[in-house]
Structures are given as C-alpha cells and as structure tokens.
Amino acid sequence: MSDTARAIRRVYLSCEFLPADPTVRGLISIGLTDDAGRDYYAVNNDMDFTAVLDVPRMVDDVWPALPRCTSDGYPYLLDRVHPDVKLIKEIRDEVGTYFACGPPETHLYAVYGGRHICRLHSLWDNDWETMPPAVPRWFHELRSLVVQAGNPPLPEQPRGERHALTYARYHRTLHEHLLALAACPRCGGDDFRPARGFHRIPPTDRHQVRCVDESPAPRRVPEDHGCRPDQPDGGRDRPVRFPTRQMHSVVCDVCAYVYDEDGDGVLVFDNPEEAVHDVLRHHWMCLPDGRAICPSDDEEHQALYDELMPPEPEAEADGQVSPDEER
C-alpha cells in the first residue's frame, strides 16, 4: 500500500445554526478546513431568516459576521449576491466535492461536534444512502481529547470577526496544539502511557491498574488533489503519540455502576486512595479483597450485604451456664 493510500486527512468542522431547527432551514453557515489548509465556507441562502432574527444571540453574535449589503442603514439585509451566500443545493454539491478531494480516509474533528455533524448530514436529509461515501459518518470530539490530555492551557481564540470558518480554523489550531504536546519530550515522553477507557478502582495497593498502549500511525500531510487552499500549510511527517494522565474511577462489582455522585459525568481521581475516601463518604462499601459495592438496595446487593454481615451469637438456653462463665 502506498503512503498516499495510508494517509489520513484531518478535516475540522464548524456550523452556525438554529438549535430548535435541525433541518437545512436551520443551517446558517458551514465552515470546513483541513490539515493542509484547504478551506470551505458557505452561508445558507435558504435559511429561515425570520427565525434567525428572532434570536437575540444570533442578532448580536452571528448575523454581524455574515455578508450584508451594508453595515449602515440595512443591518439585517443579507447580501444574496455575495459569493459566500449559496443555495442549499450548491452547498450540498460543493461540500461533497470538498470531502472527495483527498485521500480515501478522512477523520472529522469538531468541538461539541454531535450537533455540528448532524447539520452536515442534514444537507442530505440525514439519509446515509444518498450521502456521498466520502462524507464522514462519525467524528472525533476535541473536547474529549483536551480532557484526556489533562486540560492543558489552550491557544487563545481569535479576536474580532468570528464565523463558522474562523471557528473551524481554531479547531485545527487546537488539535495541532494537542499534537505538539504529545510530541514534546517533556510532555509526552515515556512517563505517559495512553489508556483506553476507564480503570476499575482497586481500593488497595495490591491491585494494579490495567493500561493499554495506543500509538496512532505516523501523521502524514495529504497531497493536493485539486482543492485550492486559501492558506496552504506545508507539513512534514512526524510520529504522533497522544498523552493521557493515568486516572481512576470506581465501579460496583455487583451491578457495574460507575461512580458518579453528581450525575453529570463519570468521576475520576488521581489515585486509588482519593477514590476510596470519596466513595466511602457516600455509603459505598470497599472490601479487603479489592471489591467495591454501591449502596443499592435491590435483592442482589442485599444478598451480598447479608453474606458479609458477621454471624449473630448463639442464644443460651434457660438455666444453662456458658462454658466461659463456668471457668
């Protein structure tokens, strides 16, 4: 297999949209950029203008960055002849062409990307049978990668005019920043071991955390296949190794419930001792053999609690003296 066939193209996505309208009428604009600097930006001429202008945040933050006829006099009039303002059919065809220009494998990246990839797929009415095969069906969540990297300081977001393409370019900068941390000997050296999933918490030092090394294939910048970049970005091959901090979580050995006190995400801890101290405060049971039991009151949990209870002392018969009292 050739190097070009093995190359992975990284594309970064951002959309502006009406949260309440998942159809193409709710799509305001779409921005795409890749790791070679190829950009695509379009404003939806078929958007629901009335609904957009009824949302104050859209009027204050989104609308001023769109092409308008004039900044004075008609601030709410979209410039429909601007080259960035396009019919939804044009956007659909051009986005399909954008993804087709490059290596056969494309990885899509976004921040809070679940809603953004839905807007991308809405160009084809979310019908994967009619959507071009080059359009990615899944994406990498950049916020998840930031958390896995230990929430390091991030690049400052651009000031001034911000729209979908600006955000997409920032997402590329953010990802490149994380990759640079991975390549730094002081940040991503041998002391970092990438791990898959969450760890089961051992409450004693006799248990060891299981880690799995994951070393992604070397990053290669794809060749230009016809899409003209606005900002070409030459790159060179470099191995990528993404660092994560070794964290710990607690799992009930009866029902496999993962400890989550607040209900807003799995809690992780820097060390097993900290994890055990926290779960004991919330009525978990940590056994000497390394098991952790949540405080559920169903039959399965209650049976284990009863099994762990010490036996009750035998009652003495009336008129009989215990052997201890005889002595």
Side-chain angles (χ1 to χ4, degrees):
M1 184 182 294
S2 67
D3 290 340
T4 301
R6 286 196 299 266
I8 296 175
R9 180 189 185 194
R10 297 188 178 96
V11 175
Y12 303 87
L13 166 69
S14 181
C15 296
E16 299 283 6
F17 52 84
L18 288 167
D21 188 352
T23 69
V24 290
R25 292 275 291 166
L27 177 66
I28 299 174
S29 64
I30 180 172
L32 295 163
T33 190
D34 67 5
D35 50 4
R38 303 182 183 94
D39 294 333
Y40 177 79
Y41 176 67
V43 176
N44 182 15
N45 189 51
D46 299 325
M47 75 175 84
D48 187 343
F49 294 98
T50 301
V52 171
L53 296 176
D54 281 342
V55 180
R57 188 188 70 83
M58 297 292 173
V59 175
D60 295 337
D61 300 334
V62 177
W63 196 263
L66 302 179
R68 293 170 296 161
C69 289
T70 178
S71 58
D72 299 320
Y74 300 95
Y76 303 122
L77 188 60
L78 187 72
D79 185 359
R80 294 176 181 270
V81 298
H82 192 281
D84 289 338
V85 180
K86 302 175 182 181
L87 298 174
I88 201 67
K89 182 182 183 306
E90 295 179 85
I91 298 175
R92 180 189 304 123
D93 294 342
E94 292 175 356
V95 168
T97 301
Y98 177 88
F99 281 107
C101 292
E105 185 172 359
T106 296
H107 286 190
L108 188 66
Y109 293 81
V111 173
Y112 303 116
R115 303 202 299 178
H116 293 265
I117 195 171
C118 287
R119 307 296 165 160
L120 171 66
H121 291 176
S122 72
L123 294 174
W124 295 271
D125 296 325
N126 292 290
D127 185 352
W128 286 12
E129 293 185 0
T130 61
M131 191 165 65
V135 178
R137 268 63 173 171
W138 55 278
F139 72 100
H140 295 278
E141 175 55 68
L142 287 172
R143 282 300 311 169
S144 176
L145 299 184
V146 170
V147 172
Q148 291 178 41
N151 288 306
L154 303 179
E156 184 179 357
Q157 293 199 27
R159 299 180 181 274
E161 185 177 273
R162 295 187 291 181
H163 49 62
L165 182 57
T166 305
Y167 285 115
R169 289 171 176 167
Y170 174 74
H171 297 166
R172 180 181 62 200
T173 301
L174 171 62
H175 191 212
E176 290 175 347
H177 174 72
L178 295 174
L179 294 176
L181 290 179
C184 174
R186 299 179 63 181
C187 302
D190 294 335
D191 292 336
F192 283 86
R193 300 186 62 199
R196 177 180 301 151
F198 292 98
H199 306 298
R200 171 166 290 190
I201 284 300
T204 68
D205 291 337
R206 295 175 302 178
H207 298 262
Q208 300 197 1
V209 177
R210 297 187 296 273
C211 295
V212 180
D213 285 335
E214 294 178 333
S215 298
R219 174 177 182 247
R220 298 181 182 277
V221 176
E223 297 177 1
D224 193 343
H225 288 262
C227 287
R228 182 178 179 181
D230 291 343
Q231 293 184 345
D233 179 21
R236 56 177 181 273
D237 296 350
R238 66 172 182 268
V240 173
R241 194 159 175 261
F242 195 79
T244 65
R245 283 177 16 189
Q246 192 176 75
M247 305 297 288
H248 309 270
S249 64
V250 185
V251 181
C252 177
D253 279 83
V254 176
C255 62
Y257 167 71
V258 183
Y259 178 62
D260 175 17
E261 176 192 359
D262 300 324
D264 57 358
V266 176
L267 288 176
V268 293
F269 304 90
D270 290 329
N271 54 69
E273 292 75 15
E274 180 185 346
V276 172
H277 176 74
D278 198 78
V279 300
L280 288 177
R281 293 191 301 106
H282 293 88
H283 310 294
W284 281 58
M285 181 182 296
C286 295
L287 306 182
D289 60 3
R291 290 180 294 168
I293 313 298
C294 74
S296 299
D297 58 357
D298 57 30
E299 294 182 1
E300 189 176 7
H301 288 76
Q302 193 59 49
L304 182 57
Y305 296 144
D306 294 341
E307 179 183 329
L308 296 172
M309 291 293 291
E312 297 182 0
E314 296 182 0
E316 299 176 359
D318 293 340
Q320 294 184 358
V321 180
S322 67
D324 292 338
E325 293 182 358
E326 285 184 352
R327 290 194 294 270

